[in-house]
Amino acid sequence: MTDPRSDLLDVLSTRLGSQHVIRDAAAMESYLVEERKLYRGTALAVVRPGSTEEVALVVRECAKAGIPIVPQGGNTGLVGGGVPHKGIVLSLARLDRIREVDPFNATITVEAGCILKSVQDESEKADCLFPLSLASEGSCRIGGNIATNAGGVNVLRYGNTRDLVLGLEVVLADGRVWNGLKGLRKDNTGYDLKNLFVGSEGTLGVITAAVLKLFPRPKSRTVAFIGCASPHAALDLFDTFRRRTGDQLTAFEFMPRFALEIVLKHAAGAVRPLSGEHEAYALVELSSPDAAIDLRERLEAVLGEALEAGIVEDAVIAASEAQGDALWHLRESLSHVQRLEGGSIKHDVAVPVSRVADFIVTATRACEAALPGVRVCAFGHFGDGNIHFNLSQPVAMEKAAFLDQWERFNRIVHDIVHGMNGSISAEHGVGLIKRDELALYKDPVALDLMRTLKRTLDPQNILNPGKVLAPEADLPSRLPGSGQA
């Protein structure tokens, strides 16, 4: 009796070329382990199609054989969404063409395997800006960014990835190709299908190409690093900037005292930006496509107002592009250096902007009370309510013992987020790490709609099975007061 799995791999090797069907265990290793090393999967093979037609072929053949497929881009995700389980890893890395740049329509059409930095660079050649910007932009791929609805540092002005997508090309679970590659700002011909797939983490279809929005490229920029007495003062500062500078406010990033301390301790080239120490810091960037606008003057005026109001304790304004980049280096180094402080329990959450400071203070006190010595590193994107509420282990505690507390701290932090009408996943997605958490906090009607969509679009459950939605036979009980009848 023949093995359908072996037959499938033989068919794919014949059609795609054996070099693009990787079966060697050592060659597959990097595809099996996710970014934070929290999960390691297994796979029959890694398949690397080179076109949309080849992706459709792979999906059709896997559907015939009943073999699961895990789409994978740059494998830089942080929630285990790209970890395979026995099936095929479908790498989109070879779909890396820029199909079209249309500066007049302000769009760029790209394949899913394009590295984000390449999309940025191609846009810049046309004197345009593609504003999605992440720490992993040199290795993450645009298909994965779309599939997880990535956020980043420019969401305040330009929106999440969802807001940057005009059209998609998607291979469905039966191998059909939906061509929705239209660069239209308005299209009311029925349901907005593209938004079914943005943020779906490869569970409803395989994104193979996209039409993305472009914007005028900034010709002037100014950056400041500001010390405040508290998260509430930092939030007042954000409100002041938002009211006074409008859409010139490109970014407003928050860091607590502990975050700056570990960056200065570990990050190469990091220099203390202010002479004193402060409980809260803000990195602020203003930008404009008009080179004639004096953004530094505008920034100084707002800071002067904030100083008089007692909102700001100290500030430094970059005197050059290099100094601006050095200030950004302090923020961008944070995720990396936190690893050097031992175990880290991470939460990517969002609350209404008006509650950001309340959340940080409340959750910090709750976590410190639960585990004396825990070091709270709550940083992120104040302007869109997204806080990375990360916990570094107490100095004298064993890493493994600390990480065993993960679920306990999930309850503490996520309960507070839920009580503030927030979200337990802001920009990283759900994947595996928050799959069961979603079943606890998501509205039950919303979960039912999501499962209905999954069953309709992927009746065999072959597209990234087990991610986002927990198996229906094994759902956690819901929290009291969370909407359950």
Side-chain angles (χ1 to χ4, degrees), residues 267-417:
V271 177
R272 182 175 294 279
L274 303 173
S275 58
E277 295 184 344
H278 307 272
E279 290 305 310
Y281 296 94
L283 186 147
V284 177
E285 178 176 297
L286 305 182
S287 67
S288 172
D290 186 350
I293 292 179
D294 191 339
L295 292 176
R296 183 183 179 92
E297 182 180 10
R298 175 68 62 87
L299 182 59
E300 289 174 345
V302 177
L303 282 177
E305 179 182 319
L307 278 165
E308 287 184 14
I311 296 172
V312 168
E313 294 183 331
D314 196 8
V316 60
I317 301 175
S320 65
E321 283 289 319
Q323 288 184 14
D325 291 342
L327 294 177
W328 267 108
H329 177 61
L330 299 174
R331 166 63 180 88
E332 292 171 341
S333 301
L334 183 50
S335 296
H336 169 70
V337 302
Q338 195 183 0
R339 304 172 189 174
L340 305 179
E341 290 292 317
S344 179
I345 295 176
K346 300 179 184 293
H347 302 94
D348 163 47
V349 300
V351 295
V353 173
S354 59
R355 303 301 306 275
V356 166
D358 291 339
F359 164 72
I360 291 174
V361 171
T362 303
T364 296
R365 289 173 179 167
C367 290
E368 290 176 345
L371 181 62
V374 71
R375 297 170 296 165
V376 176
C377 189
F379 65 96
H381 322 301
F382 246 37
D384 55 49
N386 177 194
I387 295 297
H388 301 290
F389 193 84
N390 298 347
L391 306 173
S392 287
Q393 69 182 65
V395 174
M397 192 174 188
E398 290 293 326
K399 180 178 180 179
F402 176 66
L403 294 180
D404 283 344
Q405 303 288 312
W406 203 309
E407 181 149 349
R408 179 187 177 209
F409 281 110
N410 277 352
R411 292 286 71 71
I412 293 170
V413 175
H414 291 164
D415 282 3
I416 294 170
V417 169

Side-chain angles (χ1 to χ4, degrees), residues 24-305:
D24 177 72
M28 286 198 295
E29 181 63 23
S30 64
Y31 296 89
L32 306 181
V33 182
E34 56 90 49
E35 174 81 6
R36 294 198 300 210
K37 307 295 190 293
L38 295 177
Y39 301 99
R40 187 185 187 283
T42 60
L44 300 174
V46 175
V47 180
R48 302 175 68 249
S51 66
T52 299
E53 293 73 24
E54 290 186 350
V55 173
L57 165 70
V58 173
V59 173
R60 280 196 304 272
E61 294 299 327
C62 287
K64 288 179 188 176
I67 300 296
I69 301 165
V70 178
Q72 198 175 98
N75 199 22
T76 60
L78 299 174
V79 294
V83 177
H85 180 61
K86 297 181 179 179
I88 296 295
V89 174
L90 181 63
S91 170
L92 281 301
R94 292 180 61 218
L95 275 73
D96 61 355
R97 292 187 305 124
I98 305 290
R99 293 189 183 177
E100 182 185 25
V101 181
D102 186 344
F104 200 87
N105 194 46
T107 55
I108 183 170
T109 304
V110 302
E111 294 184 339
C114 287
I115 292 174
L116 174 55
K117 185 65 166 61
S118 299
V119 179
Q120 295 169 346
D121 291 346
E122 286 297 320
S123 302
E124 188 171 347
K125 290 177 185 177
D127 197 31
C128 294
L129 171 73
F130 180 63
L132 182 63
S133 181
L134 315 170
S136 60
E137 61 194 29
S139 54
C140 65
R141 297 179 187 272
I142 197 67
N145 300 145
I146 296 169
T148 57
N149 188 29
V153 298
N154 290 329
V155 171
L156 172 60
R157 182 166 177 178
Y158 299 103
N160 289 290
T161 301
R162 182 184 306 279
D163 303 298
L164 305 176
V165 176
L166 290 175
L168 290 178
E169 177 185 82
V170 180
V171 175
L172 304 178
D174 57 6
R176 289 181 298 160
V177 178
W178 170 56
N179 185 349
L181 291 176
K182 291 185 176 181
L184 300 176
R185 268 69 177 179
K186 291 184 176 180
D187 183 358
N188 267 338
T189 54
Y191 305 129
D192 186 0
L193 297 179
K194 71 176 184 298
N195 274 320
L196 290 177
F197 302 100
V198 179
S200 67
E201 301 185 44
T203 62
L204 301 180
V206 181
I207 296 167
T208 52
V211 182
L212 306 171
K213 293 180 185 177
L214 298 180
F215 295 82
R217 189 166 67 86
K219 301 295 172 55
S220 60
R221 178 181 78 132
T222 188
V223 180
F225 200 88
I226 304 162
C228 298
S230 68
H232 283 91
L235 185 59
D236 288 342
L237 179 64
F238 165 71
D239 187 54
T240 302
F241 267 103
R242 179 178 56 179
R243 292 175 186 276
R244 297 278 276 108
T245 63
D247 65 2
Q248 291 174 343
L249 181 60
T250 306
F252 191 102
E253 295 292 298
F254 171 84
M255 294 171 64
R257 181 174 179 171
F258 171 66
L260 182 60
E261 287 175 354
I262 61 175
V263 169
L264 295 173
K265 177 180 176 182
H266 295 294
V271 177
R272 182 175 294 279
L274 303 173
S275 58
E277 295 184 344
H278 307 272
E279 290 305 310
Y281 296 94
L283 186 147
V284 177
E285 178 176 297
L286 305 182
S287 67
S288 172
D290 186 350
I293 292 179
D294 191 339
L295 292 176
R296 183 183 179 92
E297 182 180 10
R298 175 68 62 87
L299 182 59
E300 289 174 345
V302 177
L303 282 177
E305 179 182 319

